[in-house]
């Protein structure tokens, strides 16, 4: 049965074996994989230019004959090498034009990020290989990790147009690998990444617990590291808090330089508001800036969002932003944010999934300890993340308010003592936010 590009290729090799020696097959076809196949055309990927030329000039006719034998029809065969794949990839990347604007010069440096900034800059200046490889940047969402990663990419690309710079989000890496495996292109996948001059992965934390992806990352990491290629990873938490990540990867990720980004202090927030409003051609009074900086404390993406809303409001009214207008704008922004709150149902669903139970088990009667534990965590999260009262939470679980309060207390009490629990809470929350 032939039902995948890989099967086709196996059958072709089978036929070629009648004519060629095993040594010849191993030598010339060992890196070969089918890139795509349609009614009348087969595209083969052979990463090495040398081998591709040989196969094309010496074996193309044999491959076409084999295909004719298999399908009783004419096939055209074409070949691509790594360079074409890379080119297609880079085109793909630059489509996201906005990321071009992330630079070191428009990154506001303060106490909370100066270490990460300096480390990223050293890497972009190509001075980081001895001590900052890999560079692992971690911190909560909205604090500038992606910005720094793109700043590295943009600077290196400018200085070395010839570098093959891979920048990929952890989630895309996982999806791409799954597709590559399904379509029999995992070899090409590996080659593409192993030939990077610079390897940048945003939000690497998502690979934790995905065995096959971890395996590939491990090999790619080792190959690049041994070849002294620069690697930079970002994550929402340090390697040791990636509970599902195997030890060997944790230690690889921690083997260079760990740089965290924390919440910006007041001065930094003021500087960011100033910079962002300047960029938009908006003038804000000190009073208004002070108000925003005191209201939004934990997330630079939100600071930026607030400034953009002020700009929109000021354009709309064709007037300066007064304190009372600023207050209204932010109040509206927070109200809208509340409407994005996860629903209690989603929290129950996500918590159940995390512990491998069903939502029914979580809201049901079972007193088995792992279920009770998960149920308490779900109640705790609902209390934290929604506006529901104790009795309302109780209804969802068919329990009374005192049980709910007891459960929430239990979890709250354990969190400071149990790193594992606090990471679990963080994980479930992150899963909820990524929905
Ligand atoms: P993260 O990847 O950590 O979630 P991002 O890098 O996406 O955060 O940053 C969120 C937004 O805030 C981006 O638009 C980014 O340009 C901006 N930003 C973050 N930190 C800074 C900074 N120090 N100076 C200027 N802009 C920043
Ligand atoms: Mg990011």
């Amino acid at each position: 049965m032939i039902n995948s590009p890989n099967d086709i290729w196996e059958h072709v090799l089978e036929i070629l074996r009648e004519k060629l020696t095993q040594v010849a097959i191993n030598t010339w076809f060992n890196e070969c994989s089918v890139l795509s196949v349609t009614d009348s055309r087969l595209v083969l990927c052979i990463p090495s230019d040398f081998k591709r030329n040989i196969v094309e000039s010496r074996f193309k006719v044999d491959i076409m004959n084999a295909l004719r034998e298999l399908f009783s029809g004419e096939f055209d065969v074409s070949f691509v090498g790594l360079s074409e794949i890379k080119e297609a990839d880079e085109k793909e990347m630059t489509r996201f034009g906005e990321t071009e604007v992330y630079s070191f010069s428009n990154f506001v440096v303060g106490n909370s990020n100066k270490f990460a900034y300096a480390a990223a800059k050293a890497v972009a200046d190509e001075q980081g290989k001895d001590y900052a490889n890999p560079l692992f940047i971690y911190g909560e969402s909205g604090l500038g990790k992606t910005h720094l990663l793109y700043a590295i990419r943009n600077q290196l690309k400018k200085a070395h147009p010839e570098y093959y710079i891979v920048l990929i989000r952890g989630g895309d890496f996982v999806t791409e690998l799954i597709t590559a495996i399904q379509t029999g292109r995992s070899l090409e996948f590996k080659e593409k990444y192993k030939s990077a001059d610079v390897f940048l992965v945003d939000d690497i934390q998502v690979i934790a617990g995905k065995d096959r992806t971890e395996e590939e990352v491990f090999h790619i990491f080792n190959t690049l590291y041994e070849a002294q290629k620069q690697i930079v990873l970002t994550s929402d938490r340090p390697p040791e808090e990636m509970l599902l990540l195997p030890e060997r990867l944790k230690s690889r990720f921690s083997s260079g330089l760990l740089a965290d980004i924390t919440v910006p202090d007041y001065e930094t927030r003021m500087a960011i508001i100033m910079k962002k409003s300047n960029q938009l051609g908006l003038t804000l009074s000190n009073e208004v800036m002070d108000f925003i900086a005191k209201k939004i404390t934990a997330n630079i993406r939100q600071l930026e969002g607030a400034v953009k809303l002020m700009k929109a409001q000021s354009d709309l009214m064709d007037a300066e932003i007064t304190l009372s207008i600023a207050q209204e704008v932010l109040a509206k922004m927070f109200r809208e944010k509340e409407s994005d709150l996860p629903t209690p149902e989603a929290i129950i669903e996500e918590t159940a999934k995390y512990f491998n139970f069903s939502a029914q088990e979580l809201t049901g009667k079972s007193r088995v300890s792992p279920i009770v534990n998960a149920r308490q965590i779900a109640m705790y999260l609902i209390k934290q993340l929604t506006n529901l009262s104790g009795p309302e939470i109780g209804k969802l679980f068919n329990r009374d308010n005192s049980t709910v309060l007891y459960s929430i207390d239990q979890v709250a009490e354990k969190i400071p003592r149990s790193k594992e629990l606090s990471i679990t809470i963080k994980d479930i929350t992150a899963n909820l936010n990524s929905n």
Side-chain angles (χ1 to χ4, degrees):
M1 270 284 282
I2 296 183
N3 45 26
S4 76
N6 244 358
D7 289 345
I8 297 178
W9 186 240
E10 282 308 313
H11 279 80
V12 168
L13 285 181
E14 203 57 39
I15 296 173
L16 291 181
R17 275 196 195 100
E18 291 163 12
K19 222 184 134 196
L20 306 172
T21 65
Q22 191 58 40
V23 176
I25 298 227
N26 286 347
T27 310
W28 302 116
F29 297 107
N30 65 341
E31 291 176 20
C32 211
S33 61
V34 177
L35 200 54
S36 70
V37 49
T38 59
D39 287 350
S40 60
R41 187 183 194 81
L42 180 94
V43 183
L44 282 174
C45 169
I46 305 178
S48 140
D49 286 340
F50 173 67
K51 288 189 186 176
R52 186 183 39 160
N53 288 337
I54 300 282
V55 172
E56 186 158 13
S57 58
R58 284 186 28 202
F59 302 113
K60 185 172 170 179
V61 177
D62 295 316
I63 296 171
M64 284 167 74
N65 289 341
L67 286 166
R68 187 181 308 117
E69 198 176 320
L70 272 175
F71 295 101
S72 337
E74 286 305 316
F75 268 81
D76 191 19
V77 178
S78 58
F79 300 83
V80 297
L82 209 52
S83 41
E84 283 103 325
I85 295 172
K86 279 182 197 169
E87 240 168 57
D89 249 37
E90 293 198 345
K91 273 203 202 105
E92 176 82 4
M93 284 180 194
T94 46
R95 245 194 12 227
F96 302 105
E98 64 190 276
T99 57
E100 306 286 316
V101 306
Y102 289 152
S103 68
F104 288 106
S105 60
N106 63 18
F107 189 84
V108 176
V109 184
N111 280 327
S112 58
N113 58 27
K114 65 177 183 220
F115 186 70
Y117 171 88
K121 189 76 178 86
V123 164
D125 292 339
E126 297 184 273
Q127 284 159 6
K129 284 212 186 120
D130 296 335
Y131 65 94
N133 202 20
L135 170 58
F136 192 100
I137 302 175
Y138 67 92
E140 307 272 327
S141 168
L143 296 180
K145 303 180 297 290
T146 299
H147 188 130
L148 285 178
L149 199 67
Y150 277 90
I152 294 173
R153 197 274 308 256
N154 294 342
Q155 182 178 326
L156 280 172
K157 201 171 172 129
K158 207 172 211 173
H160 299 280
E162 78 283 7
Y163 276 10
Y164 176 40
I165 304 176
V166 168
L167 192 157
I168 186 159
R169 284 179 297 213
D172 292 345
F173 189 87
V174 175
T175 321
E176 198 186 314
L177 174 63
I178 293 169
T179 318
I181 292 169
Q182 281 168 350
T183 53
R185 287 164 64 179
S186 40
L187 192 76
E188 176 204 325
F189 176 87
K190 275 180 236 185
E191 286 305 322
K192 187 170 92 180
Y193 291 114
K194 285 184 177 170
S195 66
D197 293 309
V198 183
F199 188 59
L200 312 169
V201 186
D202 202 12
D203 290 322
I204 187 86
Q205 77 272 358
V206 303
I207 70 159
K210 307 202 168 67
D211 297 349
R212 182 67 197 267
T213 311
E214 285 166 352
E215 186 71 26
E216 292 305 338
V217 168
F218 184 72
H219 289 299
I220 293 167
F221 187 104
N222 286 344
T223 306
L224 294 174
Y225 185 80
E226 271 155 30
Q228 301 198 323
K229 298 296 166 64
Q230 178 72 53
I231 300 165
V232 184
L233 311 168
T234 76
S235 164
D236 67 355
R237 66 197 77 180
E240 92 255 12
E241 284 185 23
M242 296 166 72
L243 289 189
L244 297 173
L245 199 72
E247 271 318 312
R248 57 178 192 166
L249 268 177
K250 276 188 208 170
S251 74
R252 286 290 190 288
F253 289 175
S254 315
S255 64
L257 190 65
L258 294 177
D260 69 334
I261 305 190
T262 54
V263 183
D265 55 23
Y266 174 80
E267 285 71 24
T268 312
R269 299 201 297 277
M270 282 295 269
I272 287 169
I273 296 168
M274 234 177 271
K275 181 139 201 159
K276 302 279 173 189
S277 50
N278 270 340
Q279 281 170 355
L280 294 172
L282 172 75
T283 322
L284 293 175
S285 66
N286 264 327
E287 196 186 21
V288 168
M289 291 200 287
D290 172 76
F291 168 70
I292 302 175
K294 282 181 178 151
K295 265 296 210 228
I296 302 177
T297 55
N299 187 319
I300 295 177
R301 187 177 293 116
Q302 272 177 22
L303 272 184
E304 199 173 40
V307 175
K308 281 185 187 154
L309 286 177
M310 301 293 164
K311 165 73 175 161
Q313 187 64 25
S314 137
D315 285 354
L316 197 70
M317 303 181 315
D318 198 18
E320 291 215 344
I321 298 287
T322 60
L323 182 60
S324 72
I325 292 174
Q327 284 166 341
E328 259 172 52
V329 171
L330 279 202
K332 183 158 176 275
M333 173 170 148
F334 284 124
R335 270 201 304 279
E336 275 168 11
K337 243 187 67 216
E338 267 182 21
S339 63
D340 299 338
L341 289 180
T343 62
E345 290 75 23
I347 296 173
I348 293 173
E349 192 68 42
E350 206 54 64
T351 310
K353 202 159 93 195
Y354 187 87
F355 289 105
N356 251 331
F357 297 125
S358 69
Q360 286 76 12
E361 284 172 300
L362 231 61
T363 54
K365 290 206 164 64
S366 170
R367 302 253 204 106
V368 184
S369 138
I371 297 187
V372 171
N373 181 42
R375 184 180 298 138
Q376 292 186 338
I377 290 174
M379 290 182 179
Y380 172 85
L381 282 169
I382 295 174
K383 180 73 192 153
Q384 294 291 311
L385 301 175
T386 74
N387 302 323
L388 257 53
S389 65
E392 285 169 327
I393 298 175
K395 243 188 217 152
L396 293 167
F397 294 87
N398 297 310
R399 281 166 173 82
D400 59 18
N401 185 31
S402 62
T403 311
V404 173
L405 294 181
Y406 172 79
S407 302
I408 294 171
D409 282 350
Q410 285 280 304
V411 177
E413 203 173 279
K414 268 189 244 157
I415 289 176
R417 285 182 281 118
S418 163
K419 196 157 193 175
E420 186 164 343
L421 179 61
S422 58
I423 292 169
T424 298
I425 301 273
K426 227 177 171 176
D427 277 336
I428 299 173
T429 315
N431 291 343
L432 276 164
N433 289 333
S434 68
N435 284 336

